Amino acid sequence: MVELWTPPPGERAHTMVPRMLRVDRVIRELPDIVTLVLDSAPMGGFRFGPGQFNMLYLFGTGEVPISISGNPVEPGDLVHTIRAVGQVTRPMCQVKRGDMLGVRGPFGTEWPMDDARGKDLLIVAGGLGLAPLRPAIYHALHHRSAYGRVIVLYGTRAPDSILFEDELHTWRGRFDCEVDITVDRAPTDFRGHVGVVPALLDRFSFDPDRTVAMVCGPEIMMRFTARALTKKGLPREAIWLSVERSMKCGMGVCGHCQFGPTFACKDGPVMRYDHIFRLLDIREI
Amino acid sequence: MESHAPWQVGSKAILSVTGLGDLLGRLWAGGRQVVGPVVRDGAICLGPVRTIADLPKGLTDEHGPGTYRLKPRGDEALFGFTVGQHAFKRSILLPEVALVQLRRKGRDVEVEPATPKTQPLALLGVRACDAAALGIQDKVLCGGPYADSDYEARRADVLVIAVQCTNAASTCFCASMGTGPHLSNGFDLALTELLSPTHRFLVEVGSPAGATLANQLELTPVSEGDLSDAKTAEQAALTQMGRHLETAGLREKLQQNPDDSHWENVANRCLSCANCTMVCPTCFCTTMEDRTDLTGDIATRIRRYDSCFSEAFAYVHGGSVRPTVRARYRQWLTHKLSTWVDQFGSLGCVGCGRCITFCPVGIDITAEAKAVGAPARTG
């Protein structure tokens, strides 16, 4: 018999009401990707953990879950990087400086920055998957001495679709950060790596006992990357993925984001591979 | 006549049919909306019950896979049926509700949270399965780190006036789910309808609020005969129960068989119409919709029921995660009878049988759950 409801103790967040924040800057990253910087000063800054997301609302259009792509140690700017692919994100990518967007959040789990202290970080991104990982990279570089090696591997479609290219160059220029990229296809004059992300892993050696991998990208990319990492001896417990599902509430009450027994919004988006590797092999889960 | 008040939690007494009318009157006079069974369009629906004349007198319901009919009982029973297509969730988790309104003024947007216009409710005729379903939805919508504030506000003042089942349908399987047919907690008052020798109700007080109410009513002491009549009546529900679902090992079985060929078998029959999710008393999925007025300056964010049977439900950019009916039926059944346990600590099915009755092609959750992962079948 199920127990009947009693108001739970303590204060809980419960709101479907967005806070409206003004767009301070619009950065056109790629033809279909923009970064929107919202001014969170009116609400005293916006604190979040690397990997968390917000529900972003465009007036009269709708709401979508978008990972925060900004710097967690600079909470004044609230930064999201969005690809124009759907009914909401297409008009959202057209907003101008001074327009307002609604924000609910932050929601969801974080990249395991604390658990990874003292370990080597292997950050593997595919396409727009670099955006949810960028706060983790900022965090690691800001607390650089807390971690061993910091390796960033990035795969994208083509040399002209490299997200955050300037920053990748900056990170690669540091003596304490290893960066490499690969593209799916390229013109003949491209001198970088051509191939899928898991193939890039072969160019690096890791100590499986002291490496924590954080992987974000299309589901198929994460599946193959995680498998390749386990083949290299990384335990599943040391591999973390960020899962993407449809979301309408962000707080576990709308039912949309179910991924097997988990809710991607509150049990994720960041999940440990040993908890979900079986689910990833089920078609249409 | 000696006085037996005050009645307390656990007290049992007898309420006459006119006494039930008095109860309804007092509830309405106290500012409560009484929602209970009423006949509409040849079905027993839920709606406002102002007097006992609004109740489905002398009617019963005949259930089967894809079949539902009302039939005369040939007596004066007011609760002589089981469950219709409406679950009480529709009074608390509303099918459609505005959660927030936004006004555009130049480049600014002003936000006005919609304050739920709640009226205290009395739910009349709540069966054991439906009471269990209320408890499950409470857990889902208010038990996590975040609460659904609209649901919470509407749930805050709800009296549950339960009715113990004295008959069961061929589609009922609450006994398998451990939710019924007898309801032993989760109510304010519970009525057992007794038809002979006189038409009366055995009332059980389940809460302090129920006791307060009981003390305003003209109740008479309960006799041994009343108790034995009630026991006999309730026994009938158990013997009439038409279906069984084996729950032992079910959670593991469903999660371990995502590629079972039976999912395809169901998909070939399932119309993906979402009826089962609409009639289910525990299904809680909702979506958000923006509606703008003609000027385009006022937008209302509406929450409305959604269903995992729609292709759009699991849409992420590029397409649906579950494009096939096979995957959507598997999601629904596996959630209800398996992953719900991982998420909320109980099964998500209470055994009311509505999904069987109101499935246009008569898909039977008990049969499908049994068939998935069953040892090798032939043909």
Short mmCIF file of all heavy atoms in Angstrom, two decimals, chain B residues 6 9 21 49 188 206 243 262 268 281 372:
data_model
loop_
_atom_site.label_atom_id
_atom_site.label_comp_id
_atom_site.label_asym_id
_atom_site.label_seq_id
_atom_site.Cartn_x
_atom_site.Cartn_y
_atom_site.Cartn_z
N PRO B 6 -18.58 11.40 20.64
CA PRO B 6 -17.90 11.67 19.38
C PRO B 6 -17.34 10.41 18.71
O PRO B 6 -16.79 9.55 19.39
CB PRO B 6 -16.77 12.59 19.81
CG PRO B 6 -16.46 12.20 21.21
CD PRO B 6 -17.73 11.68 21.81
N VAL B 9 -11.34 8.29 14.89
CA VAL B 9 -10.66 7.53 13.85
C VAL B 9 -10.77 6.05 14.21
O VAL B 9 -10.49 5.66 15.34
CB VAL B 9 -9.18 7.94 13.74
CG1 VAL B 9 -8.44 7.09 12.72
CG2 VAL B 9 -9.07 9.42 13.38
N GLY B 21 -27.27 11.94 1.78
CA GLY B 21 -27.68 13.22 1.19
C GLY B 21 -27.31 14.38 2.10
O GLY B 21 -26.84 15.43 1.64
N VAL B 49 -21.31 16.25 -7.62
CA VAL B 49 -22.44 15.52 -7.04
C VAL B 49 -23.04 16.41 -5.96
O VAL B 49 -22.44 16.61 -4.91
CB VAL B 49 -21.97 14.17 -6.43
CG1 VAL B 49 -23.16 13.45 -5.79
CG2 VAL B 49 -21.33 13.30 -7.49
N ASP B 188 -10.73 9.55 4.40
CA ASP B 188 -11.27 10.26 5.56
C ASP B 188 -12.50 9.53 6.07
O ASP B 188 -12.66 9.32 7.26
CB ASP B 188 -11.58 11.70 5.17
CG ASP B 188 -10.30 12.44 4.80
OD1 ASP B 188 -9.50 12.70 5.71
OD2 ASP B 188 -10.08 12.70 3.60
N GLY B 206 -11.63 7.39 8.93
CA GLY B 206 -10.22 7.12 8.64
C GLY B 206 -9.27 8.23 9.02
O GLY B 206 -8.06 8.07 8.92
N ARG B 243 -9.35 -10.67 -13.36
CA ARG B 243 -8.01 -10.83 -13.91
C ARG B 243 -6.95 -10.92 -12.82
O ARG B 243 -7.17 -10.52 -11.68
CB ARG B 243 -7.69 -9.68 -14.86
CG ARG B 243 -8.21 -9.96 -16.26
CD ARG B 243 -8.00 -8.79 -17.20
NE ARG B 243 -8.18 -9.21 -18.57
CZ ARG B 243 -9.35 -9.54 -19.12
NH1 ARG B 243 -10.46 -9.53 -18.39
NH2 ARG B 243 -9.42 -9.91 -20.39
N HIS B 262 7.65 -10.34 -28.39
CA HIS B 262 6.26 -10.01 -28.08
C HIS B 262 5.97 -8.51 -28.17
O HIS B 262 4.83 -8.11 -28.42
CB HIS B 262 5.86 -10.53 -26.69
CG HIS B 262 4.39 -10.46 -26.47
ND1 HIS B 262 3.50 -11.30 -27.09
CD2 HIS B 262 3.63 -9.59 -25.75
CE1 HIS B 262 2.27 -10.97 -26.75
NE2 HIS B 262 2.31 -9.93 -25.93
N ASN B 268 1.77 -4.59 -33.35
CA ASN B 268 0.93 -4.84 -34.52
C ASN B 268 -0.55 -4.63 -34.22
O ASN B 268 -1.35 -4.46 -35.13
CB ASN B 268 1.15 -6.28 -35.03
CG ASN B 268 2.49 -6.42 -35.70
OD1 ASN B 268 3.04 -5.45 -36.22
ND2 ASN B 268 3.05 -7.63 -35.65
N PRO B 281 -5.03 5.99 -13.84
CA PRO B 281 -5.05 6.93 -12.71
C PRO B 281 -3.66 7.31 -12.20
O PRO B 281 -3.56 8.20 -11.36
CB PRO B 281 -5.81 6.15 -11.63
CG PRO B 281 -5.55 4.72 -11.95
CD PRO B 281 -5.43 4.64 -13.45
N VAL B 372 5.49 -11.20 -22.31
CA VAL B 372 6.86 -10.72 -22.53
C VAL B 372 7.83 -11.57 -21.71
O VAL B 372 7.62 -11.78 -20.52
CB VAL B 372 7.00 -9.23 -22.15
CG1 VAL B 372 8.48 -8.83 -22.13
CG2 VAL B 372 6.23 -8.36 -23.10
#
